[in-house]
Amino acid sequence: MTLAITPQTVTSVPAVVGADLRVPLVTGERVTYANLDHAASAPCLQEVRDAVDELLPWYASVHRGAGFASQVSTRVYEQARDRIRKFVGAHSSDTVVFTRNTTDSLNLLARSVPRNTAVVLFDSEHHAALLPWRGPNVQRIPAPSSSGAAVVALDRALAAAPVGPRLVIVTGASNVTGELWPVAELAKVARRHGARIALDAAQLAPHRPINVRELGVDYIAFSGHKIYAPFGAGVLVGRADWLQQAQPYLVGGGATAKVTDHGDRLGVAWSAVPERHEAGSPNVVGVHALASACEILSRHWEQTVAHEQELLTRLQDGLRSIPGFRELSILTDADKVGVVSFTISGFDAGFLAAALSCEYGIGVRDGAFCAHVIVGRLVKQAGSHEERAVRASIGLGTTAEHVDRLVAALRTLVTEGPKWTYTQRDGRWVPEDDSRTLPPFLA
């Protein structure tokens, strides 16, 4: 999507906790941490931390407590459903189920689909979306090379799918490449074939506004820890009928409306959704943090998109100047959020990540990013014999200096080599003679 940005709005993005964090280097110096690993977990927004601090004195068990603090916590917890429903533009009839994260949400959905549901998805999905669906009725489509090819491939797959309930799983933005998938077009194809569609928005939600009614999707899942609320909450929003008909994902308090003793067995009447799938004491603080992050981002979309796109262009331009650099790409015609995965010819991804951290105070991700199928394929296309890459990802805490430091550090590592000696231990590159000290709370 394209947003009209005015110059005066670009600088005012929400502040994050830890923006001034200083980390030790193997050389003995300390530098401000350059966090370029937002795609894995984003730092906490300062306003989210303030919202959590405001709630903590009132924290208590929810739903069945007569105490005033319990009533306050219950109100906070239930109001969060409406706050998140508004954030994603959901229907008033859609249920909002709180989970631990996107993985938990998609596994819950997988447990709730009717028997013999035909599931169609692309093999470029994150493991959270790829692995919960097993069996003969699951069709995995090879990753397409363009948005148009994705639409055509889904149309063909659904035309060949068995008669009965059907579900399409699609990502909003690839966690490997950052590329935006044609969700609205894929949803139109799904509807034409009588299929429902679930959106993995883990990478999309922190970077772009979402409206599930405009997109035409039936379910959406995302995580607090990727949307600047790292307090252990996630959410599944969508149509209630399948979730209402399914057995509880977990069983225990809250999921039960009534339990009766029949001697040799227990009789159980399950709660209605969403409580049906929220057994146990809920994560009130995490849910409040998640809802608060959603509202904060909603007030800053223009600034957020402008900030990230400016830095993404700076990052890509700088990386392309480095000898041997190859960027991984799935959809050749797609816009993208601030994620760049790449290989550098002749250099192990794990070694580069270790050296960037140890010598320059830069945090990036290396590996296959919980998307082994597509990363293995893309890395081979890039000419590497490894099955790993480096991923640099931008967020609200990223600055131009962070980007420039990464580019300069990589250029130095490629052209001059590391300053330190490294060895492999338990499959990871680590520096020899590492005298860096951990923070006091870990001492």
Side-chain angles (χ1 to χ4, degrees):
M1 66 183 299
T2 302
L3 295 177
I5 309 297
T6 54
Q8 61 267 29
T9 66
V10 173
T11 57
S12 125
V13 295
V16 301
V17 176
D20 56 354
L21 176 67
R22 293 181 66 79
V23 295
L25 306 182
V26 289
T27 56
E29 306 165 77
R30 296 185 78 89
V31 297
T32 303
Y33 184 53
N35 182 0
L36 289 167
D37 196 18
H38 286 74
S41 282
C44 184
L45 290 176
Q46 288 186 5
E47 288 180 78
V48 168
R49 179 189 59 188
D50 295 342
V52 167
D53 287 345
E54 184 178 32
L55 171 63
L56 283 177
W58 297 93
Y59 170 75
S61 183
V62 304
H63 290 150
R64 291 169 299 282
F68 192 78
S70 181
Q71 294 176 34
V72 170
S73 289
T74 297
R75 181 71 64 88
V76 166
Y77 186 75
E78 292 303 326
Q79 284 183 345
R81 300 192 202 275
D82 292 330
R83 297 163 74 188
I84 290 172
R85 188 180 284 110
K86 180 180 179 181
F87 176 71
V88 299
H91 300 274
S92 60
S93 59
D94 286 338
T95 192
V96 177
V97 181
F98 292 121
T99 64
R100 293 177 298 168
N101 45 46
T102 309
T103 301
D104 198 24
S105 296
L106 293 173
N107 275 270
L108 165 58
L109 182 59
R111 294 280 192 93
S112 302
V113 299
R115 190 176 181 181
N116 297 322
T117 296
V119 177
V120 181
L121 70 167
F122 294 94
D123 68 3
S124 49
E125 294 290 332
H126 185 283
H127 291 168
L130 186 69
L131 297 181
W133 320 94
R134 311 248 180 128
N137 289 334
V138 178
Q139 183 175 358
R140 290 185 295 273
I141 307 172
S145 60
S146 68
S147 299
V151 173
V152 171
L154 180 62
D155 193 18
R156 290 174 178 168
L158 286 173
V163 174
R166 300 171 175 183
L167 178 65
V168 175
I169 312 297
V170 66
T171 189
S174 169
N175 79 301
V176 176
T177 66
E179 291 157 338
L180 297 169
W181 282 64
V183 177
E185 291 79 3
L186 294 170
K188 289 178 182 177
V189 171
R191 286 197 303 275
R192 189 165 67 245
H193 289 277
R196 299 188 184 190
I197 184 166
L199 175 63
D200 174 358
Q203 290 298 333
L204 181 63
H207 302 285
R208 292 289 192 279
I210 300 170
N211 189 300
V212 298
R213 286 174 294 176
E214 292 179 2
L215 291 173
V217 301
D218 300 279
Y219 304 95
I220 180 172
F222 59 96
S223 299
H225 76 100
K226 292 190 188 292
I227 199 168
Y228 304 97
F231 292 87
V235 68
L236 174 67
V237 183
R239 296 172 63 169
D241 53 348
W242 284 0
L243 293 164
Q244 179 63 40
Q245 294 161 14
Q247 290 289 305
Y249 180 44
L250 297 174
V251 296
T256 53
K258 188 175 181 61
V259 178
T260 52
D261 187 354
H262 297 283
D264 61 339
R265 63 182 178 83
L266 294 176
V268 182
W270 301 114
S271 301
V273 294
E275 290 85 0
R276 187 183 192 89
H277 299 293
E278 293 180 353
S281 296
N283 181 2
V284 181
V285 173
V287 164
H288 181 55
L290 173 57
S292 299
C294 290
E295 290 185 343
I296 295 161
L297 285 178
S298 293
R299 298 195 300 265
H300 294 88
W301 277 129
E302 290 193 19
Q303 300 97 314
T304 296
V305 174
H307 169 79
E308 293 183 358
Q309 290 302 299
E310 178 180 337
L311 292 179
L312 175 61
T313 299
R314 190 185 192 101
L315 175 62
Q316 288 180 301
D317 289 347
L319 290 175
R320 287 167 183 158
S321 69
I322 296 172
F325 168 82
R326 292 287 297 272
E327 182 173 355
L328 306 189
S329 177
I330 304 170
L331 306 176
T332 57
D333 59 346
D335 291 333
K336 63 187 293 173
V337 299
V339 176
V340 179
S341 292
F342 59 91
T343 62
I344 294 182
S345 179
F347 288 86
D348 178 83
F351 164 77
L352 290 174
L356 288 170
S357 172
C358 295
E359 299 180 27
Y360 299 94
I362 300 169
V364 295
R365 181 76 31 167
D366 71 280
F369 320 127
C370 294
H372 295 177
V373 173
I374 189 61
V375 170
R377 188 177 304 153
L378 295 178
V379 167
K380 285 183 179 179
Q381 292 174 3
S384 174
H385 298 296
E386 303 289 337
E387 292 189 353
R388 300 170 6 134
V390 178
R391 183 181 68 189
S393 50
I394 290 166
L396 294 176
T398 308
T399 68
E401 189 278 328
H402 296 165
V403 170
D404 294 345
R405 195 194 316 174
L406 172 67
V407 172
L410 282 170
R411 184 177 293 112
T412 299
L413 286 169
V414 170
T415 59
E416 300 177 17
K419 306 171 187 175
W420 213 254
T421 303
Y422 298 84
T423 186
Q424 283 193 306
R425 186 179 304 151
D426 298 326
R428 301 291 301 176
W429 288 95
V430 295
E432 295 183 356
D433 302 320
D434 187 359
S435 61
R436 293 175 298 168
T437 57
L438 294 171
F441 65 84
L442 285 176

